[in-house]
PDB file of all heavy atoms in Angstrom:
ATOM      1  N   HIS A  14      -0.075  18.344  -2.110  1.00  0.00           N
ATOM      2  CA  HIS A  14      -0.279  19.729  -1.698  1.00  0.00           C
ATOM      3  C   HIS A  14      -0.695  20.486  -2.961  1.00  0.00           C
ATOM      4  O   HIS A  14       0.022  20.443  -3.964  1.00  0.00           O
ATOM      5  CB  HIS A  14       1.002  20.301  -1.102  1.00  0.00           C
ATOM      6  CG  HIS A  14       1.554  19.455   0.000  1.00  0.00           C
ATOM      7  ND1 HIS A  14       1.352  19.749   1.318  1.00  0.00           N
ATOM      8  CD2 HIS A  14       2.272  18.306  -0.036  1.00  0.00           C
ATOM      9  CE1 HIS A  14       1.942  18.819   2.062  1.00  0.00           C
ATOM     10  NE2 HIS A  14       2.500  17.925   1.256  1.00  0.00           N
ATOM     11  N   ILE A  15      -1.829  21.150  -2.898  1.00  0.00           N
ATOM     12  CA  ILE A  15      -2.457  21.702  -4.095  1.00  0.00           C
ATOM     13  C   ILE A  15      -2.610  23.208  -3.988  1.00  0.00           C
ATOM     14  O   ILE A  15      -3.098  23.723  -2.977  1.00  0.00           O
ATOM     15  CB  ILE A  15      -3.839  21.060  -4.306  1.00  0.00           C
ATOM     16  CG1 ILE A  15      -3.684  19.549  -4.466  1.00  0.00           C
ATOM     17  CG2 ILE A  15      -4.570  21.686  -5.486  1.00  0.00           C
ATOM     18  CD1 ILE A  15      -4.969  18.769  -4.308  1.00  0.00           C
ATOM     19  N   SER A  16      -2.207  23.905  -5.053  1.00  0.00           N
ATOM     20  CA  SER A  16      -2.476  25.332  -5.203  1.00  0.00           C
ATOM     21  C   SER A  16      -3.683  25.461  -6.116  1.00  0.00           C
ATOM     22  O   SER A  16      -3.776  24.774  -7.136  1.00  0.00           O
ATOM     23  CB  SER A  16      -1.287  26.054  -5.836  1.00  0.00           C
ATOM     24  OG  SER A  16      -0.156  25.944  -5.019  1.00  0.00           O
ATOM     25  N   ALA A  17      -4.593  26.365  -5.747  1.00  0.00           N
ATOM     26  CA  ALA A  17      -5.804  26.553  -6.544  1.00  0.00           C
ATOM     27  C   ALA A  17      -6.039  28.038  -6.772  1.00  0.00           C
ATOM     28  O   ALA A  17      -5.456  28.880  -6.092  1.00  0.00           O
ATOM     29  CB  ALA A  17      -7.009  25.946  -5.821  1.00  0.00           C
ATOM     30  N   GLU A  18      -6.900  28.335  -7.729  1.00  0.00           N
ATOM     31  CA  GLU A  18      -7.297  29.723  -7.957  1.00  0.00           C
ATOM     32  C   GLU A  18      -7.854  30.272  -6.652  1.00  0.00           C
ATOM     33  O   GLU A  18      -8.626  29.607  -5.963  1.00  0.00           O
ATOM     34  CB  GLU A  18      -8.358  29.791  -9.051  1.00  0.00           C
ATOM     35  CG  GLU A  18      -7.860  29.357 -10.409  1.00  0.00           C
ATOM     36  CD  GLU A  18      -8.962  29.281 -11.445  1.00  0.00           C
ATOM     37  OE1 GLU A  18     -10.073  29.801 -11.203  1.00  0.00           O
ATOM     38  OE2 GLU A  18      -8.702  28.684 -12.500  1.00  0.00           O
ATOM     39  N   SER A  19      -7.466  31.477  -6.303  1.00  0.00           N
ATOM     40  CA  SER A  19      -7.793  32.015  -4.979  1.00  0.00           C
ATOM     41  C   SER A  19      -9.289  32.097  -4.692  1.00  0.00           C
ATOM     42  O   SER A  19      -9.698  31.970  -3.552  1.00  0.00           O
ATOM     43  CB  SER A  19      -7.159  33.397  -4.803  1.00  0.00           C
ATOM     44  OG  SER A  19      -7.662  34.300  -5.768  1.00  0.00           O
ATOM     45  N   THR A  20     -10.098  32.272  -5.701  1.00  0.00           N
ATOM     46  CA  THR A  20     -11.538  32.372  -5.479  1.00  0.00           C
ATOM     47  C   THR A  20     -12.247  31.020  -5.542  1.00  0.00           C
ATOM     48  O   THR A  20     -13.461  30.956  -5.373  1.00  0.00           O
ATOM     49  CB  THR A  20     -12.184  33.315  -6.511  1.00  0.00           C
ATOM     50  OG1 THR A  20     -11.910  32.802  -7.823  1.00  0.00           O
ATOM     51  CG2 THR A  20     -11.640  34.731  -6.381  1.00  0.00           C
ATOM     52  N   SER A  21     -11.486  29.953  -5.780  1.00  0.00           N
ATOM     53  CA  SER A  21     -12.107  28.649  -6.001  1.00  0.00           C
ATOM     54  C   SER A  21     -11.489  27.530  -5.176  1.00  0.00           C
ATOM     55  O   SER A  21     -11.483  26.368  -5.593  1.00  0.00           O
ATOM     56  CB  SER A  21     -12.002  28.295  -7.483  1.00  0.00           C
ATOM     57  OG  SER A  21     -12.635  29.270  -8.272  1.00  0.00           O
ATOM     58  N   VAL A  22     -10.979  27.844  -4.011  1.00  0.00           N
ATOM     59  CA  VAL A  22     -10.303  26.843  -3.190  1.00  0.00           C
ATOM     60  C   VAL A  22     -11.271  25.736  -2.762  1.00  0.00           C
ATOM     61  O   VAL A  22     -10.948  24.547  -2.871  1.00  0.00           O
ATOM     62  CB  VAL A  22      -9.621  27.507  -1.975  1.00  0.00           C
ATOM     63  CG1 VAL A  22      -9.074  26.458  -1.022  1.00  0.00           C
ATOM     64  CG2 VAL A  22      -8.514  28.440  -2.444  1.00  0.00           C
ATOM     65  N   LEU A  23     -12.443  26.097  -2.284  1.00  0.00           N
ATOM     66  CA  LEU A  23     -13.423  25.073  -1.878  1.00  0.00           C
ATOM     67  C   LEU A  23     -13.841  24.202  -3.055  1.00  0.00           C
ATOM     68  O   LEU A  23     -13.990  22.985  -2.921  1.00  0.00           O
ATOM     69  CB  LEU A  23     -14.646  25.713  -1.242  1.00  0.00           C
ATOM     70  CG  LEU A  23     -14.482  26.211   0.184  1.00  0.00           C
ATOM     71  CD1 LEU A  23     -15.732  26.961   0.633  1.00  0.00           C
ATOM     72  CD2 LEU A  23     -14.211  25.053   1.119  1.00  0.00           C
ATOM     73  N   HIS A  24     -14.013  24.820  -4.194  1.00  0.00           N
ATOM     74  CA  HIS A  24     -14.379  24.078  -5.395  1.00  0.00           C
ATOM     75  C   HIS A  24     -13.276  23.082  -5.749  1.00  0.00           C
ATOM     76  O   HIS A  24     -13.554  21.921  -6.083  1.00  0.00           O
ATOM     77  CB  HIS A  24     -14.635  25.038  -6.554  1.00  0.00           C
ATOM     78  CG  HIS A  24     -14.960  24.367  -7.844  1.00  0.00           C
ATOM     79  ND1 HIS A  24     -16.100  23.620  -8.031  1.00  0.00           N
ATOM     80  CD2 HIS A  24     -14.275  24.306  -9.004  1.00  0.00           C
ATOM     81  CE1 HIS A  24     -16.111  23.140  -9.257  1.00  0.00           C
ATOM     82  NE2 HIS A  24     -15.010  23.542  -9.878  1.00  0.00           N
ATOM     83  N   ALA A  25     -12.022  23.499  -5.667  1.00  0.00           N
ATOM     84  CA  ALA A  25     -10.895  22.605  -5.954  1.00  0.00           C
ATOM     85  C   ALA A  25     -10.891  21.430  -4.984  1.00  0.00           C
ATOM     86  O   ALA A  25     -10.700  20.278  -5.392  1.00  0.00           O
ATOM     87  CB  ALA A  25      -9.575  23.369  -5.871  1.00  0.00           C
ATOM     88  N   ALA A  26     -11.101  21.689  -3.699  1.00  0.00           N
ATOM     89  CA  ALA A  26     -11.110  20.618  -2.703  1.00  0.00           C
ATOM     90  C   ALA A  26     -12.224  19.625  -2.991  1.00  0.00           C
ATOM     91  O   ALA A  26     -12.019  18.403  -2.889  1.00  0.00           O
ATOM     92  CB  ALA A  26     -11.271  21.204  -1.302  1.00  0.00           C
ATOM     93  N   ARG A  27     -13.376  20.109  -3.368  1.00  0.00           N
ATOM     94  CA  ARG A  27     -14.505  19.209  -3.667  1.00  0.00           C
ATOM     95  C   ARG A  27     -14.239  18.385  -4.917  1.00  0.00           C
ATOM     96  O   ARG A  27     -14.555  17.191  -4.960  1.00  0.00           O
ATOM     97  CB  ARG A  27     -15.784  20.019  -3.813  1.00  0.00           C
ATOM     98  CG  ARG A  27     -16.264  20.584  -2.494  1.00  0.00           C
ATOM     99  CD  ARG A  27     -17.548  21.385  -2.648  1.00  0.00           C
ATOM    100  NE  ARG A  27     -17.902  21.983  -1.384  1.00  0.00           N
ATOM    101  CZ  ARG A  27     -18.218  23.250  -1.224  1.00  0.00           C
ATOM    102  NH1 ARG A  27     -18.247  24.074  -2.263  1.00  0.00           N
ATOM    103  NH2 ARG A  27     -18.534  23.719  -0.031  1.00  0.00           N
ATOM    104  N   GLU A  28     -13.669  19.002  -5.944  1.00  0.00           N
ATOM    105  CA  GLU A  28     -13.346  18.284  -7.181  1.00  0.00           C
ATOM    106  C   GLU A  28     -12.325  17.174  -6.911  1.00  0.00           C
ATOM    107  O   GLU A  28     -12.486  16.041  -7.375  1.00  0.00           O
ATOM    108  CB  GLU A  28     -12.797  19.246  -8.236  1.00  0.00           C
ATOM    109  CG  GLU A  28     -13.821  20.181  -8.813  1.00  0.00           C
ATOM    110  CD  GLU A  28     -14.810  19.478  -9.725  1.00  0.00           C
ATOM    111  OE1 GLU A  28     -14.415  18.561 -10.473  1.00  0.00           O
ATOM    112  OE2 GLU A  28     -15.999  19.842  -9.683  1.00  0.00           O
ATOM    113  N   VAL A  29     -11.282  17.500  -6.163  1.00  0.00           N
ATOM    114  CA  VAL A  29     -10.230  16.534  -5.856  1.00  0.00           C
ATOM    115  C   VAL A  29     -10.783  15.405  -4.985  1.00  0.00           C
ATOM    116  O   VAL A  29     -10.454  14.234  -5.175  1.00  0.00           O
ATOM    117  CB  VAL A  29      -9.025  17.231  -5.193  1.00  0.00           C
ATOM    118  CG1 VAL A  29      -8.048  16.225  -4.610  1.00  0.00           C
ATOM    119  CG2 VAL A  29      -8.335  18.141  -6.200  1.00  0.00           C
ATOM    120  N   ALA A  30     -11.647  15.725  -4.038  1.00  0.00           N
ATOM    121  CA  ALA A  30     -12.221  14.715  -3.145  1.00  0.00           C
ATOM    122  C   ALA A  30     -13.030  13.668  -3.908  1.00  0.00           C
ATOM    123  O   ALA A  30     -13.175  12.538  -3.438  1.00  0.00           O
ATOM    124  CB  ALA A  30     -13.090  15.383  -2.085  1.00  0.00           C
ATOM    125  N   GLU A  31     -13.527  14.006  -5.074  1.00  0.00           N
ATOM    126  CA  GLU A  31     -14.320  13.075  -5.883  1.00  0.00           C
ATOM    127  C   GLU A  31     -13.468  12.057  -6.643  1.00  0.00           C
ATOM    128  O   GLU A  31     -13.991  11.081  -7.174  1.00  0.00           O
ATOM    129  CB  GLU A  31     -15.189  13.851  -6.875  1.00  0.00           C
ATOM    130  CG  GLU A  31     -16.261  14.692  -6.218  1.00  0.00           C
ATOM    131  CD  GLU A  31     -17.277  13.838  -5.474  1.00  0.00           C
ATOM    132  OE1 GLU A  31     -17.682  12.774  -5.991  1.00  0.00           O
ATOM    133  OE2 GLU A  31     -17.663  14.229  -4.360  1.00  0.00           O
ATOM    134  N   ILE A  32     -12.161  12.255  -6.686  1.00  0.00           N
ATOM    135  CA  ILE A  32     -11.277  11.337  -7.400  1.00  0.00           C
ATOM    136  C   ILE A  32     -11.181  10.032  -6.615  1.00  0.00           C
ATOM    137  O   ILE A  32     -10.965  10.041  -5.400  1.00  0.00           O
ATOM    138  CB  ILE A  32      -9.894  11.983  -7.614  1.00  0.00           C
ATOM    139  CG1 ILE A  32     -10.053  13.212  -8.520  1.00  0.00           C
ATOM    140  CG2 ILE A  32      -8.898  10.982  -8.183  1.00  0.00           C
ATOM    141  CD1 ILE A  32      -8.814  14.078  -8.613  1.00  0.00           C
ATOM    142  N   GLU A  33     -11.335   8.925  -7.299  1.00  0.00           N
ATOM    143  CA  GLU A  33     -11.434   7.607  -6.659  1.00  0.00           C
ATOM    144  C   GLU A  33     -10.290   7.307  -5.687  1.00  0.00           C
ATOM    145  O   GLU A  33     -10.503   6.786  -4.598  1.00  0.00           O
ATOM    146  CB  GLU A  33     -11.477   6.529  -7.738  1.00  0.00           C
ATOM    147  CG  GLU A  33     -11.562   5.128  -7.212  1.00  0.00           C
ATOM    148  CD  GLU A  33     -11.565   4.090  -8.324  1.00  0.00           C
ATOM    149  OE1 GLU A  33     -11.686   4.458  -9.501  1.00  0.00           O
ATOM    150  OE2 GLU A  33     -11.441   2.908  -7.988  1.00  0.00           O
ATOM    151  N   GLU A  34      -9.070   7.621  -6.053  1.00  0.00           N
ATOM    152  CA  GLU A  34      -7.906   7.279  -5.236  1.00  0.00           C
ATOM    153  C   GLU A  34      -7.676   8.223  -4.060  1.00  0.00           C
ATOM    154  O   GLU A  34      -6.856   7.946  -3.189  1.00  0.00           O
ATOM    155  CB  GLU A  34      -6.639   7.267  -6.119  1.00  0.00           C
ATOM    156  CG  GLU A  34      -6.653   6.226  -7.198  1.00  0.00           C
ATOM    157  CD  GLU A  34      -7.352   6.667  -8.486  1.00  0.00           C
ATOM    158  OE1 GLU A  34      -7.924   7.776  -8.541  1.00  0.00           O
ATOM    159  OE2 GLU A  34      -7.328   5.891  -9.451  1.00  0.00           O
ATOM    160  N   VAL A  35      -8.394   9.325  -4.018  1.00  0.00           N
ATOM    161  CA  VAL A  35      -8.244  10.304  -2.936  1.00  0.00           C
ATOM    162  C   VAL A  35      -9.094   9.861  -1.753  1.00  0.00           C
ATOM    163  O   VAL A  35     -10.301   9.678  -1.874  1.00  0.00           O
ATOM    164  CB  VAL A  35      -8.645  11.719  -3.411  1.00  0.00           C
ATOM    165  CG1 VAL A  35      -8.660  12.705  -2.253  1.00  0.00           C
ATOM    166  CG2 VAL A  35      -7.696  12.187  -4.514  1.00  0.00           C
ATOM    167  N   THR A  36      -8.428   9.675  -0.600  1.00  0.00           N
ATOM    168  CA  THR A  36      -9.156   9.242   0.595  1.00  0.00           C
ATOM    169  C   THR A  36      -9.649  10.423   1.422  1.00  0.00           C
ATOM    170  O   THR A  36     -10.587  10.283   2.193  1.00  0.00           O
ATOM    171  CB  THR A  36      -8.294   8.320   1.469  1.00  0.00           C
ATOM    172  OG1 THR A  36      -7.093   9.000   1.825  1.00  0.00           O
ATOM    173  CG2 THR A  36      -7.957   7.037   0.726  1.00  0.00           C
ATOM    174  N   SER A  37      -8.990  11.583   1.289  1.00  0.00           N
ATOM    175  CA  SER A  37      -9.459  12.794   1.969  1.00  0.00           C
ATOM    176  C   SER A  37      -8.850  14.007   1.297  1.00  0.00           C
ATOM    177  O   SER A  37      -7.773  13.928   0.699  1.00  0.00           O
ATOM    178  CB  SER A  37      -9.095  12.774   3.457  1.00  0.00           C
ATOM    179  OG  SER A  37      -7.686  12.822   3.624  1.00  0.00           O
ATOM    180  N   ALA A  38      -9.555  15.122   1.380  1.00  0.00           N
ATOM    181  CA  ALA A  38      -9.062  16.399   0.853  1.00  0.00           C
ATOM    182  C   ALA A  38      -9.484  17.486   1.829  1.00  0.00           C
ATOM    183  O   ALA A  38     -10.655  17.550   2.221  1.00  0.00           O
ATOM    184  CB  ALA A  38      -9.625  16.669  -0.533  1.00  0.00           C
ATOM    185  N   HIS A  39      -8.531  18.313   2.232  1.00  0.00           N
ATOM    186  CA  HIS A  39      -8.792  19.351   3.232  1.00  0.00           C
ATOM    187  C   HIS A  39      -8.284  20.700   2.759  1.00  0.00           C
ATOM    188  O   HIS A  39      -7.160  20.797   2.246  1.00  0.00           O
ATOM    189  CB  HIS A  39      -8.083  19.020   4.549  1.00  0.00           C
ATOM    190  CG  HIS A  39      -8.505  17.715   5.134  1.00  0.00           C
ATOM    191  ND1 HIS A  39      -9.643  17.582   5.885  1.00  0.00           N
ATOM    192  CD2 HIS A  39      -7.956  16.481   5.050  1.00  0.00           C
ATOM    193  CE1 HIS A  39      -9.766  16.314   6.262  1.00  0.00           C
ATOM    194  NE2 HIS A  39      -8.751  15.629   5.754  1.00  0.00           N
TER     195      HIS A  39
END
Side-chain angles (χ1 to χ4, degrees):
H14 307 261
I15 300 164
S16 298
E18 295 173 14
S19 61
T20 59
S21 301
V22 173
L23 284 174
H24 178 65
R27 290 180 184 131
E28 289 289 322
V29 168
E31 294 296 319
I32 296 170
E33 179 182 350
E34 297 86 355
V35 173
T36 57
S37 66
H39 301 278

